[in-house]
């Protein structure tokens, strides 16, 4: 399993804290069982949020790095175009 990113940790932690406080205030529970149920629900919600945060897209192994010649569109396009050879009619005939 890949390591969580900073954004995933931040969103998940914030969700757990805010949802726990909100549910405790709204439910006005004072029993240990009620607090445990709310805490478990907040943890599950925080995990769901952390897993649904989009992960950054990884570049491929051969992706262009900033500053490379392949990074510019013109040089990359010209590198893929084969050189054109003159037609046979343009070559002088030497006997």
């Amino acid at each position: 399993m890949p390591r969580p990113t900073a954004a995933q940790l931040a969103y998940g932690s914030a969700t757990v804290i805010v949802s726990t406080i909100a549910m405790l205030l709204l439910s006005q529970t004072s029993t240990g069982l009620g607090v445990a149920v709310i805490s478990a629900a907040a943890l599950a919600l925080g995990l769901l949020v952390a897993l649904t945060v989009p992960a950054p897209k990884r570049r491929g192994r051969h992706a262009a790095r900033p500053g490379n010649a392949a990074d510019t569109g013109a040089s990359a396009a010209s590198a893929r175009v084969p050189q054109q050879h003159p037609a046979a009619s343009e070559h002088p005939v030497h006997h």
Side-chain angles (χ1 to χ4, degrees), residues 39-82:
S39 299
L43 283 173
L45 184 62
L47 182 62
L48 178 69
V49 167
L51 291 178
T52 56
V53 171
K57 294 181 178 165
R58 296 183 183 258
R59 292 194 290 178
R61 183 174 174 189
H62 300 290
R65 292 192 178 106
N68 282 355
D71 212 24
T72 62
S75 63
S78 65
R80 287 178 277 179
V81 176

Side-chain angles (χ1 to χ4, degrees), residues 12 19 31-32 36-37 42 44 60-61 67-68 81-82 84 86 91 95:
S19 62
T31 64
V37 169
R61 183 174 174 189
N68 282 355
V81 176
Q84 295 180 358
H91 290 290
H95 293 289

Side-chain angles (χ1 to χ4, degrees), residues 25-39:
L25 290 174
L26 290 174
S27 69
Q28 298 179 352
T29 186
S30 58
T31 64
L33 181 61
V35 172
V37 169
I38 288 174
S39 299

